[in-house]
């Protein structure tokens, strides 16, 4: 279900949660005039770009998913996070419009401990998606020559390897619309949680200049829906 273009809400759960809060405020007893004035003064002090920046860069935990409007209980959400931490991969299944992408992004925010984290790569599979699009392949340049370009998975893996103190997450939408064997190639093995070490490294189909074997870092996690 899509919201109107000028809506301040990204997903239906956010709209539903806002309506619930509005109804709760409307039904609550009204505070004295002095209290209302004091509350208004406090709220106005937090308005503006600085407040927005604090919200965007704030830490993010499982409880925040509930606060954002998730209808799943916290125990189930915590089990999803534990699965991501231990298995490094998770697949969310459900009917269209159930909020799988909405939830997958927020699970990534929990792993990154940061709302709207730029350490999350969001992409969508489609029938013509290929290994060259997702992993690595040659792309024509403006000079008419072919250049070897890393896809989103290798790019996220390299970023995670260079920043080992933080987690990086790849969220794949519509994974069932692609052909996994064609798109992932050797990554179907390398993404397994117990194959993420140099001893299990494999040669990729399009090796770089160094021709080094590749293994996926443990700080790079994937979430598909």
């Amino acid at each position: 279900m899509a919201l109107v273009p000028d809506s301040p809400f990204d997903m239906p759960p956010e709209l539903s949660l806002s309506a619930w809060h509005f109804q709760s405020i409307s039904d609550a007893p009204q505070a004295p005039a002095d209290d209302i004035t004091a509350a208004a003064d406090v709220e106005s002090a937090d308005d503006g770009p600085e407040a927005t920046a604090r919200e965007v860069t704030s830490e993010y935990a499982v409880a925040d998913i509930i606060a954002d409007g998730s209808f799943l209980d916290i125990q189930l959400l915590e089990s999803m996070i534990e699965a991501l931490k231990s298995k490094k991969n998770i697949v969310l299944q459900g009917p269209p419009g159930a909020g799988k992408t909405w939830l997958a992004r927020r699970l990534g925010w929990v792993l990154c401990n940061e709302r709207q984290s730029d350490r999350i790569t969001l992409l969508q599979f489609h029938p013509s998606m290929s290994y060259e699009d997702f992993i690595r392949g040659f792309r024509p340049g403006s000079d008419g020559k072919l250049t070897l370009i890393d896809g989103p998975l290798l790019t996220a893996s390299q970023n995670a390897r260079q920043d080992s103190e933080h987690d990086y997450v790849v969220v794949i939408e519509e994974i069932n619309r692609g052909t996994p064997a064609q798109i992932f190639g050797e990554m179907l093995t390398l993404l397994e949680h117990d194959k993420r070490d140099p001893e299990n490294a494999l040669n990729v189909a399009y090796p770089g200049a160094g021709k080094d074997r590749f293994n996926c870092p443990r700080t790079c996690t994937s979430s598909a829906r």
Side-chain angles (χ1 to χ4, degrees):
M1 181 176 69
L3 301 177
V4 295
D6 57 349
S7 172
F9 307 102
D10 296 329
M11 296 291 292
E14 297 176 0
L15 174 61
S16 177
L17 180 64
S18 178
W20 180 80
H21 281 312
F22 178 80
Q23 183 65 34
S24 299
I25 294 173
S26 301
D27 295 340
Q30 296 297 317
D34 292 342
D35 293 343
I36 294 176
T37 303
D41 291 340
V42 172
E43 291 176 357
S44 63
D46 288 337
D47 290 341
E50 294 183 359
T52 303
R54 285 197 299 271
E55 179 181 353
V56 170
T57 59
S58 62
E59 295 182 353
Y60 198 84
V62 175
D64 294 310
I65 302 180
I66 302 291
D68 282 350
S70 174
F71 297 112
L72 301 178
D73 60 73
I74 194 167
Q75 289 81 9
L76 179 57
L77 293 172
E78 288 176 343
S79 68
M80 292 180 180
I81 293 297
E82 288 303 316
L84 278 168
K85 290 181 177 180
S86 60
K87 298 297 185 181
K88 301 300 181 182
N89 305 286
I90 190 172
V91 177
L92 303 180
Q93 182 179 357
K100 298 185 294 296
T101 301
W102 182 90
L103 177 59
R105 290 182 62 193
R106 280 159 177 78
L107 292 174
W109 294 352
V110 172
L111 289 179
C112 296
N113 194 27
E114 182 182 30
R115 183 186 290 271
Q116 299 288 357
S117 177
D118 58 4
R119 286 180 276 122
I120 295 179
T121 300
L122 182 66
L123 67 148
Q124 184 180 96
F125 279 5
H126 48 79
S128 62
M129 193 81 170
S130 67
Y131 179 94
E132 289 77 10
D133 297 320
F134 187 56
I135 308 298
R136 176 186 283 167
F138 285 97
R139 291 287 180 270
S142 57
D143 56 358
K145 298 180 180 180
L146 294 176
T147 304
L148 190 61
I149 302 296
D150 287 347
L153 183 59
L154 284 194
T155 299
S157 297
Q158 290 177 357
N159 291 336
R161 201 182 306 278
Q162 296 170 2
D163 183 19
S164 58
E165 295 183 358
H166 297 93
D167 287 316
Y168 285 74
V169 179
V170 177
V171 177
I172 303 172
E173 295 189 61
E174 307 293 347
I175 191 172
N176 60 311
R177 295 179 61 197
T179 306
Q182 171 186 324
I183 298 174
F184 284 89
E186 64 278 346
M187 294 301 160
L188 281 176
T189 295
L190 297 180
L191 283 174
E192 296 180 17
H193 71 284
D194 57 349
K195 301 293 192 301
R196 297 189 174 209
D197 50 67
E199 289 76 13
N200 290 289
L202 296 174
N203 292 319
V204 295
Y206 296 92
K211 298 184 179 180
D212 294 331
R213 300 201 307 168
F214 177 82
N215 68 284
C216 189
R218 294 189 176 275
T219 52
C220 186
T221 304
S222 63
S223 175
R225 50 136 301 194

